[in-house]
Amino acid sequence: MKKVLSGIQPSGRLTLGNYIGAMRNFVELQHQAECFFMVVDLHAITVPQEPAALREQSEAVAALFIAAGIDPAKANVFMQSHVRAHAELGWLLTTLSYMGELERMTQFKDKSAGKDAIGAGLFVYPSLMAADILLYNADLVPVGDDQKQHLELTRDLAGRFNHRFGETFTIPEPYIPKVGARIMSLDDASKKMSKSNPNQGSFIALLDTPDVIRKKISRAVTDSGREVRFDTAEKPEVSNLISIYAQCSGLTVAEVEARYEGQGYGPFKKDLAEQVVGVLEPIQQRYNDIRASGEIGKLLKEGAEKASAVADATLRQVKERMGFLLP
Ligand code: TYM
């Protein structure tokens, strides 16, 4: 059985981009593979987090995993910090990482641009991400397009370790959706939709109310003209909205174009809002039920126990191969 691992940071509110680019595939893959889905709190603290907000967001993301359709009886859902092997293998892989390759990471460049003080954790973020994946010998890693480069580095680190210390790690493959791997901002289609954007209108949060969603979509920037046509070069804003429509409705891009031929942006945006509400409303209802049930702590504890058993065995093997004196 194939192994799948992925993670989402509990930093700010999750967006429709996180859902379409990653989480939906988590739900799909749980039926075909042994899955490990984490809330990556150790990654979140690579930028400053307010403690109370971090705690709340961590539980919220775990609840959203379940609300989105991940079945904890099928997939392991856990907090990264509950499985100590992540921090430990992260360090071991940091010692195998080169400054040059870490400096080339676009996420590091974006997050550190214009800052006077750049946290060292932000720099070694990809080594920790590699540890997350390699601890479980994951074959597939469902992520959005922006994580492709980190996956490449993970593959390089796995290969480097295997070469130096003997075959140990599976070389993982990214699992990236064909449409929706990069959902863009509603106010600027040259930027990806992001929970850290200070403009609330630029993203749809998974927990936005239906009215807020309708308002944000009606205000979404559109290109000049009125044709609902997918063309990322000529019509980047509308193409982004078509991608979202296709992903939320289950239609292909061509079917969406055909449905709105000759109708202009108005009816398209109105229906798009209803498609998004149709996907998010049931998730929100389940989310509220799960939070109210108080079950999340127990689920996370069970998930961490199962994950630890796998991760600890890998870590022991890694340390043995590297020459550590084992207890
Ligand atoms: P994070 O928390 O930034 O994002 C979680 C997932 O959502 C995807 N995503 C998007 N997809 C499409 N369009 C968007 N606008 C969009 N925004 C975000 C991301 O690609 C990601 O898949 N480094 C990871 C977390 C991580 C991880 C891992 C992932 C830590 N360890 C191990 C996989 C395996 C991150 O920053 O995700």
Side-chain angles (χ1 to χ4, degrees), residues 13-272:
R13 297 179 299 148
L14 294 202
T15 71
L16 191 62
N18 295 127
Y19 179 71
I20 293 176
M23 228 185 212
R24 256 171 52 137
N25 282 335
F26 300 0
V27 177
E28 185 196 307
L29 285 165
Q30 71 180 336
H31 304 294
Q32 309 157 27
E34 183 182 0
C35 290
F36 297 88
F37 298 124
M38 288 184 296
V39 182
V40 291
D41 47 0
L42 298 173
H43 276 111
I45 60 161
T46 57
V47 295
Q49 300 290 339
E50 207 273 305
L54 178 65
R55 206 168 291 128
E56 159 57 26
Q57 268 307 121
S58 296
E59 189 168 328
V61 174
L64 274 170
F65 277 179
I66 313 290
I70 295 171
D71 176 357
K74 284 209 171 88
N76 293 297
V77 174
F78 59 101
M79 298 296 306
Q80 185 185 32
S81 65
H82 292 182
V83 179
R84 294 191 181 184
H86 289 262
E88 197 169 341
L89 184 62
W91 170 251
L92 301 181
L93 294 178
T94 295
T95 67
L96 291 184
S97 308
Y98 301 128
M99 302 282 286
E101 61 193 353
L102 293 171
E103 271 161 2
R104 279 198 294 277
M105 295 292 116
T106 52
Q107 183 172 302
F108 172 70
K109 286 194 225 167
D110 290 348
K111 287 197 176 178
S112 58
K115 301 248 161 66
D116 299 331
I118 299 161
L122 202 57
F123 189 59
V124 297
Y125 179 116
S127 319
L128 178 60
M129 180 162 159
D132 296 342
I133 297 166
L134 301 179
L135 274 174
Y136 302 90
N137 283 302
D139 301 284
L140 285 181
V141 183
V143 282
D145 197 52
D146 61 337
Q147 296 300 312
K148 227 167 155 175
Q149 200 186 22
H150 287 160
L151 248 294
E152 271 309 312
L153 182 66
T154 301
R155 290 165 57 88
D156 289 348
L157 284 172
R160 193 172 303 155
F161 187 99
N162 288 350
H163 182 69
R164 223 146 113 188
F165 301 109
E167 279 305 308
T168 305
F169 293 128
T170 304
I171 311 283
E173 297 281 344
Y175 183 91
I176 296 176
K178 286 198 182 69
V179 177
R182 201 173 180 79
I183 299 295
M184 309 313 276
S185 227
L186 297 181
D187 62 345
D188 177 358
S190 69
K191 287 195 249 147
K192 74 162 187 173
M193 184 182 281
S194 165
K195 52 198 168 197
S196 49
N197 191 321
N199 175 8
Q200 300 285 314
S202 72
F203 62 84
I204 293 171
L206 296 185
L207 296 177
D208 276 345
T209 61
D211 280 346
V212 168
I213 294 171
R214 290 185 186 106
K215 216 173 274 163
K216 286 183 176 178
I217 291 181
S218 78
R219 290 184 189 155
V221 174
T222 40
D223 310 275
S224 57
R226 57 188 302 277
E227 218 185 332
V228 179
R229 181 165 53 83
F230 190 87
D231 179 340
T232 47
E234 295 284 319
K235 288 177 153 277
E237 318 281 352
V238 170
S239 299
N240 184 42
L241 298 181
I242 295 176
S243 296
I244 296 174
Y245 195 121
Q247 288 297 305
C248 291
S249 63
L251 297 177
T252 64
V253 165
E255 284 165 341
V256 177
E257 286 175 326
R259 184 178 278 189
Y260 294 95
E261 203 181 332
Q263 289 195 52
Y265 297 150
F268 166 68
K269 281 172 98 179
K270 209 156 167 278
D271 292 353
L272 171 61

